[in-house]
Coordinates of all heavy atoms in Angstrom, one line a residue:
L509 N 0.8 -1.2 0.0 CA 0.0 0.0 0.0 C 0.8 1.3 0.0 O 0.4 2.3 0.6 CB -1.0 0.0 1.2 CG -1.9 -1.2 1.3 CD1 -2.9 -1.0 2.5 CD2 -2.7 -1.4 0.0
T510 N 2.0 1.3 -0.6 CA 2.7 2.5 -0.8 C 1.9 3.5 -1.7 O 1.5 3.1 -2.8 CB 4.1 2.3 -1.5 OG1 4.8 1.3 -0.7 CG2 4.9 3.5 -1.6
S511 N 1.7 4.7 -1.2 CA 0.8 5.6 -1.9 C 1.5 6.3 -3.1 O 0.8 6.6 -4.1 CB 0.3 6.7 -0.9 OG 1.3 7.5 -0.5
G512 N 2.8 6.5 -3.1 CA 3.5 7.1 -4.2 C 3.6 8.6 -4.0 O 2.8 9.3 -3.3
L513 N 4.7 9.2 -4.5 CA 5.0 10.6 -4.4 C 4.0 11.4 -5.2 O 3.7 11.1 -6.4 CB 6.4 10.9 -5.0 CG 6.9 12.3 -4.9 CD1 7.1 12.8 -3.4 CD2 8.2 12.5 -5.7
R514 N 3.6 12.5 -4.7 CA 2.6 13.4 -5.3 C 3.3 14.7 -5.8 O 3.2 15.0 -7.0 CB 1.5 13.8 -4.4 CG 0.4 14.7 -5.1 CD -0.7 15.0 -4.1 NE -1.6 16.0 -4.7 CZ -2.7 16.4 -4.0 NH1 -3.0 16.0 -2.8 NH2 -3.5 17.3 -4.6
S515 N 4.0 15.4 -5.0 CA 4.5 16.7 -5.4 C 5.5 17.2 -4.4 O 5.8 16.6 -3.3 CB 3.4 17.8 -5.5 OG 2.8 17.9 -4.2
F516 N 6.2 18.4 -4.7 CA 7.1 19.1 -3.9 C 6.6 20.5 -3.6 O 5.9 21.1 -4.4 CB 8.5 19.2 -4.6 CG 9.2 17.9 -4.8 CD1 9.2 17.3 -6.1 CD2 9.9 17.2 -3.8 CE1 9.8 16.2 -6.4 CE2 10.5 16.0 -4.1 CZ 10.5 15.5 -5.4
E517 N 7.0 21.0 -2.4 CA 6.8 22.4 -2.1 C 8.2 23.0 -2.0 O 9.1 22.5 -1.4 CB 6.1 22.6 -0.8 CG 5.9 24.1 -0.4 CD 5.0 24.3 0.8 OE1 4.6 23.3 1.5 OE2 4.8 25.5 1.2
V518 N 8.4 24.1 -2.7 CA 9.7 24.8 -2.8 C 9.6 26.2 -2.2 O 8.7 26.9 -2.5 CB 10.1 24.9 -4.3 CG1 11.6 25.4 -4.4 CG2 10.1 23.5 -5.0
Q519 N 10.6 26.5 -1.4 CA 10.7 27.8 -0.7 C 12.1 28.4 -0.9 O 13.1 27.6 -1.0 CB 10.3 27.7 0.8 CG 8.9 27.4 1.1 CD 8.6 27.6 2.5 OE1 9.4 27.5 3.4 NE2 7.3 27.8 2.8
R520 N 12.1 29.7 -0.9 CA 13.4 30.4 -0.9 C 13.4 31.5 0.1 O 12.4 32.0 0.5 CB 13.7 30.9 -2.4 CG 12.7 31.9 -2.9 CD 13.0 33.4 -2.5 NE 12.2 34.3 -3.2 CZ 12.1 35.6 -2.9 NH1 12.8 36.0 -1.8 NH2 11.4 36.4 -3.5
R521 N 14.6 32.0 0.4 CA 14.8 33.2 1.3 C 16.1 33.9 0.9 O 17.0 33.3 0.4 CB 14.8 32.8 2.7 CG 16.0 32.1 3.3 CD 15.8 31.9 4.8 NE 16.9 31.2 5.3 CZ 17.1 30.8 6.6 NH1 16.1 31.2 7.5 NH2 18.1 30.2 7.1
V522 N 16.1 35.2 1.1 CA 17.2 36.0 0.8 C 17.8 36.6 2.1 O 17.1 37.2 2.9 CB 16.8 37.1 -0.2 CG1 18.1 38.0 -0.6 CG2 16.2 36.5 -1.5
D523 N 19.1 36.5 2.2 CA 19.8 37.1 3.4 C 19.2 36.7 4.7 O 19.1 37.5 5.6 CB 19.9 38.6 3.2 CG 20.6 39.1 2.0 OD1 21.5 38.3 1.5 OD2 20.3 40.2 1.4
G524 N 18.8 35.5 4.8 CA 18.3 35.0 6.1 C 16.9 35.5 6.5 O 16.5 35.4 7.7
G525 N 16.2 36.0 5.5 CA 14.9 36.6 5.8 C 13.8 35.5 5.9 O 14.1 34.3 6.1
A526 N 12.6 35.9 5.7 CA 11.5 34.9 5.8 C 11.5 34.0 4.6 O 11.8 34.4 3.5 CB 10.1 35.7 5.9
W527 N 11.0 32.7 4.9 CA 10.8 31.8 3.8 C 9.6 32.1 3.0 O 8.5 32.4 3.5 CB 10.7 30.4 4.3 CG 12.0 29.8 4.8 CD1 12.4 29.7 6.1 CD2 13.1 29.3 4.0 NE1 13.7 29.1 6.2 CE2 14.1 28.9 4.9 CE3 13.3 29.2 2.6 CZ2 15.3 28.3 4.5 CZ3 14.5 28.6 2.2 CH2 15.5 28.2 3.1
I528 N 9.7 32.1 1.6 CA 8.6 32.4 0.7 C 8.5 31.2 -0.2 O 9.4 30.7 -0.8 CB 8.9 33.7 -0.1 CG1 9.1 34.9 0.9 CG2 7.8 33.9 -1.1 CD1 9.5 36.2 0.2
S529 N 7.2 30.8 -0.4 CA 7.0 29.6 -1.2 C 7.0 30.1 -2.7 O 6.4 31.0 -3.1 CB 5.6 29.0 -0.9 OG 5.6 28.4 0.3
I530 N 7.8 29.3 -3.5 CA 7.8 29.5 -4.9 C 6.7 28.6 -5.6 O 6.0 29.1 -6.5 CB 9.2 29.1 -5.5 CG1 10.3 29.9 -4.8 CG2 9.3 29.3 -7.0 CD1 10.1 31.4 -4.9
W531 N 6.7 27.4 -5.1 CA 5.6 26.5 -5.5 C 5.1 25.8 -4.3 O 5.9 25.3 -3.5 CB 6.0 25.4 -6.6 CG 6.4 26.0 -7.9 CD1 5.6 26.4 -8.9 CD2 7.7 26.2 -8.4 NE1 6.3 26.8 -10.0 CE2 7.6 26.7 -9.7 CE3 9.0 26.0 -7.8 CZ2 8.7 27.0 -10.5 CZ3 10.1 26.3 -8.6 CH2 10.0 26.8 -9.9
T532 N 3.8 25.7 -4.1 CA 3.3 24.9 -3.0 C 3.0 23.4 -3.4 O 2.9 22.5 -2.6 CB 1.9 25.5 -2.5 OG1 1.0 25.6 -3.6 CG2 2.2 26.9 -1.9
S533 N 2.9 23.2 -4.8 CA 2.8 21.9 -5.3 C 3.3 21.8 -6.7 O 2.7 22.5 -7.6 CB 1.3 21.5 -5.3 OG 1.1 20.2 -5.8
T534 N 4.4 21.1 -6.9 CA 5.0 21.0 -8.2 C 5.6 19.7 -8.4 O 6.1 19.0 -7.4 CB 6.0 22.1 -8.5 OG1 6.5 22.0 -9.8 CG2 7.2 22.0 -7.5
G535 N 5.6 19.2 -9.7 CA 6.3 17.9 -10.0 C 7.7 18.1 -10.5 O 8.4 17.2 -10.7
R536 N 8.1 19.4 -10.7 CA 9.4 19.7 -11.3 C 10.5 19.4 -10.3 O 10.3 19.4 -9.1 CB 9.5 21.1 -11.8 CG 9.3 22.2 -10.7 CD 9.2 23.5 -11.4 NE 10.2 23.9 -12.3 CZ 10.2 24.9 -13.1 NH1 9.1 25.7 -13.2 NH2 11.2 25.2 -13.9
R537 N 11.7 19.2 -10.8 CA 12.8 18.8 -9.9 C 14.0 19.8 -10.1 O 15.1 19.5 -9.7 CB 13.3 17.4 -10.2 CG 12.2 16.4 -9.7 CD 12.6 15.0 -10.0 NE 11.6 14.0 -9.6 CZ 11.7 13.3 -8.5 NH1 12.8 13.4 -7.7 NH2 10.7 12.5 -8.1
S538 N 13.8 20.9 -10.8 CA 14.8 21.9 -10.9 C 14.2 23.3 -11.1 O 13.0 23.4 -11.5 CB 15.8 21.6 -12.0 OG 15.1 21.6 -13.3
W539 N 15.0 24.3 -10.9 CA 14.5 25.7 -11.0 C 15.7 26.6 -11.3 O 16.7 26.5 -10.5 CB 13.8 26.1 -9.8 CG 13.4 27.6 -9.7 CD1 12.8 28.3 -10.6 CD2 13.5 28.4 -8.5 NE1 12.6 29.6 -10.2 CE2 13.0 29.7 -8.9 CE3 14.1 28.2 -7.3 CZ2 13.0 30.8 -8.0 CZ3 14.0 29.3 -6.4 CH2 13.5 30.6 -6.8
A540 N 15.7 27.4 -12.3 CA 16.8 28.3 -12.6 C 16.3 29.7 -12.3 O 15.2 30.1 -12.7 CB 17.2 28.2 -14.1
T541 N 17.1 30.5 -11.6 CA 16.7 31.8 -11.2 C 17.9 32.7 -11.1 O 19.1 32.2 -11.0 CB 15.9 31.9 -9.9 OG1 15.4 33.2 -9.7 CG2 16.8 31.5 -8.7
Y542 N 17.7 34.0 -11.2 CA 18.8 35.0 -11.0 C 19.0 35.3 -9.5 O 18.0 35.6 -8.8 CB 18.6 36.3 -11.8 CG 18.8 36.1 -13.3 CD1 17.7 36.2 -14.1 CD2 20.0 35.8 -13.8 CE1 17.8 36.1 -15.5 CE2 20.2 35.7 -15.2 CZ 19.1 35.8 -16.0 OH 19.2 35.7 -17.4
V543 N 20.2 35.3 -9.0 CA 20.6 35.6 -7.7 C 21.3 37.0 -7.7 O 22.3 37.1 -8.4 CB 21.5 34.6 -7.0 CG1 21.9 35.0 -5.6 CG2 20.7 33.2 -6.9
P544 N 20.8 38.0 -7.0 CA 21.5 39.3 -7.0 C 22.9 39.2 -6.4 O 23.1 38.6 -5.4 CB 20.6 40.2 -6.1 CG 19.2 39.5 -6.1 CD 19.6 38.0 -6.2
V545 N 23.8 39.9 -7.1 CA 25.2 39.9 -6.5 C 25.2 40.6 -5.2 O 24.5 41.7 -5.0 CB 26.1 40.6 -7.6 CG1 27.5 40.8 -7.0 CG2 26.2 39.8 -8.8

């Protein structure tokens, strides 16, 4: 009765601030974004 994987929730934060959700439910396994210098 293994139910199987459904999705991922992905969060990011900048300079130790609050965590912000990028996706609350996604099947993707990578994400490309720009990081400020």
Side-chain angles (χ1 to χ4, degrees):
L509 305 182
T510 304
S511 63
L513 182 68
R514 178 180 178 181
S515 62
F516 296 101
E517 182 175 0
V518 184
Q519 290 189 337
R520 61 88 170 163
R521 69 177 177 181
V522 180
D523 296 335
W527 287 103
I528 298 174
S529 290
I530 304 303
W531 294 282
T532 57
S533 180
T534 182
R536 64 192 303 166
R537 291 175 180 259
S538 65
W539 172 46
T541 188
Y542 287 115
V543 175
V545 172

